[in-house]
Amino acid sequence: MPHTAIEAQVEDGGSASKPQRIIKLSKTTDDSDKKGTNKRVKDIEICVPIVYGTIAFYLGRKASESQSHKWTVYVRGATNEDLGAVIKHVVFQLHPSFNNPTRIVEAPPFELSECGWGEFEIGISIFFHSDVCDKHLDLYHMLKLYPEDESGPQSTKKPVVMESYNEIVFPDPSECFFARVQNHPAVVVPRMPAGFSLPVLAPVENTNEKGRGDTKDHPLSQWFLNFSEADELLKLASARQQLRIGMLFACTDF
Amino acid sequence: MDAKDILGLPKTPLPIPQEKKSRPQKDSQRKPDGISREVYALTGGVAPLMPSIDVSQLKRRPPSDEKITWQWLPFTSSARKDDLQLYHWVRVVNGVPPTGDYSFAKYNKSVDVIRYTDEEYEKYLTDPKWTKEETDQLFDLCERFDLRFIIIADRFPTHRTVEELKDRYYSVSRAILVARAPSPGEVAGHPLVKEPYNVTQETERKRALSMVLSQTKHQERKDAEVLAEAKRIDESRMAARAAEEPDLPVPSDVGPESAEGAVGPGDTISPANVQAPAAAIAPSTSVIADNASTLASLRMLRVYLRTYALEQMVQAASSSAGLRTIKRVEQTLQDLGVNLKPKVPTKAVCAEHLELRKEILTLLNLQKQLQYKEAEGSSFRDGSYGDMPGTAKRSQRAADQDRTFVPDTISFGGDRVVKREQKRKGPGRTSETPSSPAGAHKRPRKMKASDL
């Protein structure tokens, strides 16, 4: 159960640190088809929409001086699909006051839960499979524990959620990667260019011990925010329209 | 004159020398016609004591002991091949007319067109594309018109281009020269031999020239942009190559290829569709190049975030703008209810956001330019037509405009499209001006958010 898997990663701030359970994904695609990684698909970009952020619960009665909140930091697919096809592992860099502040999560769902009292900036480094990209991507997210309006006591039921939407863009993807994620639900892939032939690949085995990599039925999924580009597009379009009207009047003013 | 009154000096001028006719005393007290009294007073208020130039000296001539007559005489010119006799006026000195050729005959220069004999033609000069008759005609015309090939092309009986005619003429002349020369070394220095006429090159060159000449301003600008972009891509590539590992695959941008295409023979139709940004009203060349080079440098990265890409593009677009302008852009965005950083930065949203920013920039630039123009115009009017009430109001209004224009013009009220009837000023505007005594505050206020 994904829930229990998360619990297993929780570490007490006071006790001695337990080693992280390292979960390895199948490496069939990484070693083979080295040729595929060198040939690239030109003028096509592969886009992976992600959402990353934190959800923090006030512990209420169980809270102590040093552990008032329980929070989870994660990177998920924007549509809650499994990112394991693209991301190899994620490194969360926590505040130095934590034991082993560098936490590596090697399998989806890429998340980390902890208990603490302070807000700080969490460094999130995303490492990709070798046929995807050999460079990693660095993100930063401010952990938020306390709600905006400070009126009244904190609720243990309603968490403080801070999520950011972003898109990872691969401008010149390798043919191997392209072929692999052609129909992947987490990845936005444009149509194949004409005359392009798919290289033959071994099927990916998912030996993820955590079970599913997607976050559709994640226990925290009820708190996930909805990011709709339609709203923003509408707003931008109306803004441009207003601007044009303003320009018109400004010009005829002379 | 008044000054003399004040000072109590005598009004009568000093006595004038007898060379001139003595004038009546009254004249010195009258100002002369033609110059104003003040100017005359500057020079002392009196007639000059002594004339600086003796007028009678001017018309004198050196005494000459020659007898000069002018005679209408006939003449011939060596430049003429016939014996036509014409007449002209001749300056005859002591009965001896001038000798020598007609003075303009020396200007009758012509080109040395080499003429070949028929045998020479048979031996060296035959060509599948040219008949002997045509070649003869060509050479006749060349001699007649002094190698003015444009005219020769016009007069040539069959239709031939200037380049073809030139080619035939030069190759024939060259062949003759080489054939007639006792040894090849002697003619090697002759310009015709040293530099043969290159037809294809000439045709290309002329075509390229005509393309360049017929370019519209729009195309010229685009060419400049493409070249600038190509330069930047090259520079960024150099930098990237220095920094990257050796197995970096070279991205095949559209940019440098088409830039090469444009630079090469210089005559391709300017690549109008190279640049993606649909920049609207007169953006500067560097902005377009910045955009394109940013795109290129993004593609060099193996992976990047959409927000990062947007930031780079925004930076590139605002590279020509100062900090204050950027702040105004952001203020405008806020007024429009748009997030400075999009909440959902998808590809489409980022593109729209960028376009919006660019449009705002354009608007602000336009406003600034209009401000300057108004300021110039009003200062000009103030200087030249200071007395007219109408224009004074106008310039005053312009000054008001300058002060209130920028911050208030684009105040947008919430989400509604604002009706601005009171701001609408039609062509009847100038007629309103003289009737309003205090034109300044008659100017309708800019639409403010509170107006809604």
Side-chain angles (χ1 to χ4, degrees):
Chain A
M1 292 291 295
H3 194 65
T4 48
I6 298 167
E7 300 273 35
Q9 287 175 38
V10 170
E11 297 198 11
D12 283 334
S15 61
S17 56
K18 289 197 225 134
Q20 272 286 54
R21 267 199 304 158
I22 307 290
I23 300 161
K24 286 214 184 313
L25 243 184
S26 146
K27 291 220 181 237
T28 43
T29 46
D30 291 337
D31 294 330
S32 62
D33 287 292
K34 271 280 155 51
K35 286 189 291 208
T37 57
N38 287 336
K39 278 175 50 194
R40 309 201 82 86
V41 185
K42 311 274 190 242
D43 296 331
I44 270 197
E45 65 175 35
I46 289 186
C47 159
V48 184
I50 57 164
V51 175
Y52 61 94
T54 53
I55 294 182
F57 285 91
Y58 178 57
L59 288 175
R61 285 181 300 127
K62 297 190 225 154
S64 66
E65 272 290 332
S66 58
Q67 312 233 320
S68 58
H69 289 75
K70 176 169 167 235
W71 49 267
T72 310
V73 62
Y74 54 87
V75 179
R76 64 175 174 91
T79 49
N80 290 315
E81 294 289 349
D82 187 357
L83 290 174
V86 180
I87 302 179
K88 193 161 82 160
H89 65 259
V90 176
V91 178
F92 294 101
Q93 186 68 35
L94 305 180
H95 194 267
S97 61
F98 282 89
N99 283 329
N100 296 336
T102 311
R103 307 282 174 89
I104 308 176
V105 180
E106 298 240 337
F110 300 102
E111 60 187 9
L112 171 70
S113 295
E114 260 293 352
C115 292
W117 57 268
E119 298 181 337
F120 60 92
E121 193 175 63
I122 304 175
I124 305 172
S125 300
I126 303 179
F127 289 79
F128 306 99
H129 293 296
S130 53
D131 66 337
V132 175
C133 182
D134 39 6
K135 287 205 164 53
H136 66 271
L137 207 56
D138 291 322
L139 305 166
Y140 297 93
H141 180 84
M142 194 66 185
L143 169 65
K144 198 160 184 305
L145 300 177
Y146 302 99
E148 282 296 334
D149 78 57
E150 312 214 350
S151 61
Q154 295 171 68
S155 142
T156 52
K157 300 281 191 290
K158 203 156 170 301
V160 175
V161 182
M162 280 295 288
E163 281 192 329
S164 307
Y165 174 97
N166 216 319
E167 295 185 343
I168 306 178
V169 183
F170 302 97
D172 277 327
S174 69
E175 281 190 0
C176 181
F177 175 42
F178 186 84
R180 189 155 61 80
V181 295
Q182 261 290 297
N183 294 310
H184 199 289
V187 182
V188 175
V189 181
R191 268 187 316 133
M192 267 197 285
F196 180 78
S197 56
L198 285 171
V200 178
L201 295 168
V204 180
E205 286 169 33
N206 185 13
T207 56
N208 190 350
E209 290 176 30
K210 285 202 243 180
R212 309 155 55 159
D214 67 282
T215 45
K216 288 201 189 118
D217 291 327
H218 197 279
L220 295 171
S221 60
Q222 60 179 297
W223 307 113
F224 291 162
L225 297 178
N226 227 348
F227 291 93
S228 148
E229 72 164 344
D231 283 342
E232 194 123 28
L233 277 177
L234 210 64
K235 187 100 207 101
L236 284 169
S238 92
R240 286 178 75 181
Q241 185 67 2
Q242 274 191 290
L243 193 70
R244 284 199 199 101
I245 293 174
M247 276 170 95
L248 199 68
F249 277 102
C251 290
T252 57
D253 223 16
F254 286 90
Chain B
M1 301 314 290
D2 308 314
K4 286 200 189 301
D5 274 337
I6 295 165
L7 292 171
L9 291 173
K11 287 190 187 134
T12 57
L14 296 164
I16 304 161
Q18 292 306 327
E19 267 185 55
K20 304 200 120 270
K21 296 188 294 198
S22 61
R23 293 187 190 153
Q25 289 287 77
K26 267 187 70 179
D27 268 355
S28 61
Q29 294 186 16
R30 251 186 49 195
K31 81 167 171 77
D33 295 322
I35 49 174
S36 67
R37 202 168 49 138
E38 285 79 9
V39 175
Y40 191 63
L42 280 176
T43 57
V46 292
L49 298 175
M50 291 262 311
S52 46
I53 301 171
D54 189 6
V55 180
S56 58
Q57 306 275 343
L58 286 172
K59 292 248 175 166
R60 257 191 289 164
R61 287 190 199 284
S64 161
D65 25 297
E66 300 169 335
K67 259 190 357 169
I68 308 289
T69 51
W70 281 89
Q71 292 178 16
W72 182 253
L73 297 173
F75 72 97
T76 53
S77 166
S78 63
R80 293 199 70 92
K81 293 188 195 62
D82 50 17
D83 291 325
L84 179 65
Q85 236 190 23
L86 294 170
Y87 288 79
H88 64 187
W89 286 106
V90 176
R91 186 172 179 266
V92 176
V93 185
N94 291 338
V96 178
T99 54
D101 194 11
Y102 181 54
S103 57
F104 295 106
K106 61 181 180 284
Y107 299 117
N108 187 39
K109 303 273 189 202
S110 63
V111 180
D112 284 331
V113 170
I114 303 170
R115 300 316 295 254
Y116 48 81
T117 63
D118 289 341
E119 307 144 20
E120 282 177 325
Y121 187 88
E122 296 304 315
K123 272 211 305 200
Y124 310 109
L125 307 173
T126 51
D127 188 291
K129 291 197 290 254
W130 284 81
T131 65
K132 182 166 193 308
E133 195 189 317
E134 275 193 314
T135 317
D136 288 345
Q137 282 177 331
L138 171 63
F139 270 75
D140 281 336
L141 284 174
C142 284
E143 203 172 316
R144 199 170 137 206
F145 289 113
D146 293 328
L147 290 190
R148 293 195 169 101
F149 281 101
I150 313 273
I151 304 175
I152 294 167
D154 276 345
R155 305 262 169 155
F156 205 70
T158 50
H159 182 67
R160 294 261 187 188
T161 67
V162 174
E163 287 80 29
E164 282 176 33
L165 296 171
K166 278 194 189 177
D167 183 35
R168 183 64 179 148
Y169 170 77
Y170 288 123
S171 50
V172 163
S173 306
R174 192 163 186 268
I176 296 274
L177 270 178
V178 170
R180 286 186 190 168
S183 75
E186 285 184 15
V187 276
H190 194 281
L192 268 178
V193 175
K194 245 197 324 187
E195 284 137 35
Y197 183 72
N198 187 340
V199 183
T200 45
Q201 191 189 33
E202 281 296 298
T203 330
E204 268 310 292
R205 184 182 66 89
K206 289 199 179 160
R207 195 159 76 87
L209 257 181
S210 73
M211 295 244 65
V212 169
L213 269 175
S214 59
Q215 266 188 341
T216 62
K217 226 183 198 159
H218 189 57
Q219 282 175 313
E220 262 179 48
R221 239 190 299 133
K222 291 245 166 124
D223 275 351
E225 291 159 15
V226 170
L227 288 171
E229 185 216 334
K231 205 172 105 179
R232 280 170 187 265
I233 290 174
D234 275 339
E235 284 167 12
S236 68
R237 265 206 208 158
M238 290 301 138
R241 218 168 263 156
E244 288 271 345
E245 300 107 38
D247 61 359
L248 173 72
V250 177
S252 64
D253 293 358
V254 184
E257 284 166 1
S258 56
E260 278 161 358
V263 169
D267 56 0
T268 51
I269 314 290
S270 54
N273 49 3
V274 168
Q275 310 290 355
I281 308 160
S284 67
T285 308
S286 60
V287 174
I288 303 288
D290 274 345
N291 267 339
S293 72
T294 317
L295 279 171
S297 63
L298 281 172
R299 267 194 271 191
M300 301 288 277
L301 303 169
R302 300 296 197 101
V303 61
Y304 59 87
L305 281 171
R306 189 73 72 190
T307 48
Y308 172 76
L310 180 62
E311 278 168 32
Q312 296 296 98
M313 300 294 288
V314 165
Q315 218 176 29
S318 341
S319 60
S320 57
L323 189 61
R324 215 153 48 106
T325 322
I326 296 175
K327 285 273 180 286
R328 274 159 49 188
V329 169
E330 295 182 349
Q331 181 60 46
T332 316
L333 281 171
Q334 283 178 339
D335 291 341
L336 288 164
V338 169
N339 301 313
L340 286 179
K341 294 195 178 191
K343 281 278 180 296
V344 189
T346 64
K347 188 170 185 170
V349 165
C350 287
E352 282 283 307
H353 187 96
L354 188 66
E355 286 308 304
L356 178 61
R357 275 193 185 244
K358 283 197 212 159
E359 284 177 4
I360 295 176
L361 252 181
T362 314
L363 170 64
L364 291 177
N365 282 337
L366 272 179
Q367 283 179 352
K368 225 196 310 185
Q369 284 176 21
L370 283 170
Q371 249 187 329
Y372 290 154
K373 285 278 148 67
E374 264 295 296
E376 277 175 26
S378 68
S379 65
F380 174 71
R381 268 185 248 113
D382 277 341
S384 314
Y385 317 117
D387 300 336
M388 293 172 56
T391 47
K393 295 290 158 28
R394 217 190 154 108
S395 56
Q396 196 179 16
R397 263 207 274 135
D400 274 350
Q401 211 158 17
D402 292 348
R403 267 180 269 124
T404 59
F405 195 59
V406 169
D408 293 341
T409 310
I410 38 174
S411 328
F412 299 93
D415 296 315
R416 282 197 291 155
V417 172
V418 178
K419 282 249 177 257
R420 301 195 197 203
E421 271 133 9
Q422 67 200 85
K423 230 175 109 165
R424 191 107 193 102
K425 294 216 113 216
R429 171 159 69 141
T430 43
S431 61
E432 291 174 43
T433 319
S435 58
S436 59
H441 63 248
K442 190 124 194 276
R443 174 139 194 74
R445 288 177 302 123
K446 306 287 180 226
M447 186 58 85
K448 297 204 197 310
S450 53
D451 287 342
L452 300 170

